[in-house]
Amino acid sequence: MPDHDALLEVAGLSIRLAGGEGNLVDDVGFAVGRGETLCIVGESGCGKSLTGLSLMGLLPTPPAEVTGGSVRLDGRELLGLSQAALADLRGDRMAMIFQEPMTALNPAFTIGDQIAEGVARHRGADRRAARARALEMLEKVGIPAAATRLDAYPHQLSGGMRQRAMIAMALANDPQLLIADEPTTALDVTIQAQVLELIRTLQRETGTALILITHDLGVVAEVADRVAVMYAGRIVESGPVGAIFDDPQHPYTIGLMGSLPGLGGAQGARLATIPGMVPPPEAMPAGCRFAERCPFAITRCAEAPALRALAPGHRVACHRAPLEEHVAAEDAA
Ligand SMILES: Nc1ncnc2c1ncn2[C@@H]1O[C@H](COP(=O)(O)OP(=O)(O)O)[C@@H](O)[C@H]1O
Ligand code: SF4
Ligand SMILES: [Mg+2]
């Protein structure tokens, strides 16, 4: 899938634990265009965070290691870059925000100093200019009394304000790519909507591409251009948001949506629960990783299905896709 306009191109990305069997992330590929929003969805433990961290060069190595693949940002290969080269890109060309803001904020420094430090480092700004940019960012993310809050330590802010401060830090240098890993999951529902709206507004202003990892299908429907559904370390379905919601083809995607294609089931905001569990890495089936839980499984599913295109840009890894034919046949029987 060569896409020369893509800002980010990921291909064949595989991650495993040192000494562990089976890839935690297996042959994952996707592209993100400039300014585009890709949502990655899937149950807990499917490899979404490892994927996001690996793009940023933030995988904990050890125990994790990237065993293959390619990650190109603006045509430049990131896998294999030195930690120093990656640190130059992080907070500058690409940035990441997390569910828990203290993952990114240092408790020992004021938020103003932390944002200014990133600006000084990547933009070569002097102390005054860097501090002015920090103030501008705190105002942008809607922190009240921003001039005073510059000198606050993270623990002096509420959870929602800390989340805003982390976003201010991530976006201070106008990155081309922002990866947001469940950025609102830990927040109260009303604050979730505000923080999400903030990310969207800043994204529109700056043209930043966004990879949003989320459990919330309502959010996906609202913000995604494209969606990638991950199951047990693999992408099982990907496509334009309309195709994923209106014509989901992988049994796992259909299960998450809590509805069947063509049957017009109600679309819940959260991922629906599917009976069974994601297989643990040491017990990964050799064939389709969803087979144990799949109501459509057949003998052939003992072989791993490849991702293939059913429609332009809509790709599915299932031997039985397109499923409508089978559903119709079984209903008739
Ligand atoms: N540091 C780690 N050490 C051991 N196993 C890990 C580590 N990080 C993640 N894993 C395992 O890798 C798999 C994918 O994890 P993760 O990417 O965090 O999933 P998700 O973000 O989709 O919930 C899970 O089985 C998880 O237990
Ligand atoms: S390949 Fe087989 S087991 Fe896997 S999702 Fe498709 S029908 Fe189900
Ligand atoms: Mg995660």
Side-chain angles (χ1 to χ4, degrees):
M1 175 189 51
D3 179 350
H4 299 294
D5 290 335
L7 170 69
L8 181 79
E9 287 180 273
V10 179
L13 179 68
S14 295
I15 300 170
R16 69 164 181 205
L17 290 182
E21 283 170 49
N23 286 333
L24 298 177
V25 170
D26 191 59
D27 197 20
V28 159
F30 53 82
V32 185
R34 288 164 212 286
E36 196 177 51
T37 298
L38 170 76
C39 285
I40 302 182
V41 300
E43 289 161 297
S44 264
C46 283
K48 304 180 301 294
S49 293
L50 290 179
T51 300
L53 290 168
S54 69
L55 305 182
M56 295 285 296
L58 288 174
L59 266 189
T61 49
E65 61 177 329
V66 174
T67 56
S70 160
V71 173
R72 287 176 169 272
L73 181 69
D74 228 354
R76 180 181 180 193
E77 179 61 54
L78 301 189
L79 292 185
L81 283 186
S82 68
Q83 273 307 322
L86 285 164
D88 282 344
L89 293 173
R90 275 197 303 268
D92 185 21
R93 306 283 299 280
M94 56 184 185
M96 187 160 179
I97 59 178
F98 304 89
Q99 175 174 332
E100 172 42 65
M102 294 313 288
T103 309
L105 296 172
N106 186 327
F109 295 95
T110 66
I111 57 169
D113 281 351
Q114 293 184 60
I115 299 169
E117 205 263 339
V119 174
R121 176 189 166 141
H122 295 294
R123 291 191 163 183
D126 65 25
R127 201 174 171 282
R128 253 185 71 195
R131 196 172 157 84
R133 176 65 176 163
L135 176 59
E136 184 189 348
M137 287 309 299
L138 289 189
E139 283 168 347
K140 252 193 182 164
V141 299
I143 292 189
T148 319
R149 292 285 184 25
L150 267 182
D151 297 317
Y153 288 88
H155 76 266
Q156 295 173 309
L157 303 180
S158 68
M161 288 299 149
R162 273 202 292 270
Q163 204 71 2
R164 287 172 190 264
M166 173 174 61
I167 294 169
M169 187 161 83
L171 295 179
N173 292 317
D174 294 328
Q176 291 172 296
L177 174 68
L178 177 68
I179 301 175
D181 188 354
E182 309 205 22
T184 63
T185 306
L187 302 171
D188 293 342
V189 176
T190 49
I191 315 244
Q192 282 187 10
Q194 292 169 9
V195 168
L196 190 76
E197 186 49 41
L198 169 67
I199 294 171
R200 295 282 289 158
T201 304
L202 296 176
Q203 181 195 13
R204 273 193 294 266
E205 275 177 19
T206 57
T208 301
L210 175 66
I211 296 178
L212 177 64
I213 298 171
T214 178
H215 275 103
D216 192 326
L217 289 177
V219 167
V220 175
E222 200 180 311
V223 310
D225 295 306
R226 299 180 53 79
V227 180
V229 181
M230 278 189 83
Y231 184 74
R234 290 185 180 151
I235 292 185
V236 296
E237 181 158 10
S238 67
V241 64
I244 299 294
F245 277 90
D246 300 338
D247 190 26
Q249 287 295 334
H250 196 283
Y252 181 62
T253 313
I254 294 165
L256 292 180
M257 302 274 181
S259 65
L260 283 171
L263 300 185
Q267 174 185 299
R270 308 292 292 185
L271 303 184
T273 45
I274 303 168
M277 275 167 44
V278 183
E282 64 279 6
M284 217 40 102
C288 176
R289 292 183 169 187
F290 189 59
E292 270 175 32
R293 301 169 74 183
C294 181
F296 299 95
I298 48 174
T299 316
R300 194 174 160 207
C301 304
E303 288 162 39
L307 260 183
R308 62 198 164 86
L310 289 188
H314 185 183
R315 308 199 315 156
V316 183
C318 173
H319 293 304
R320 302 197 69 186
L323 268 171
E324 282 98 339
E325 292 165 13
H326 304 287
V327 174
E330 279 156 31
D331 280 356

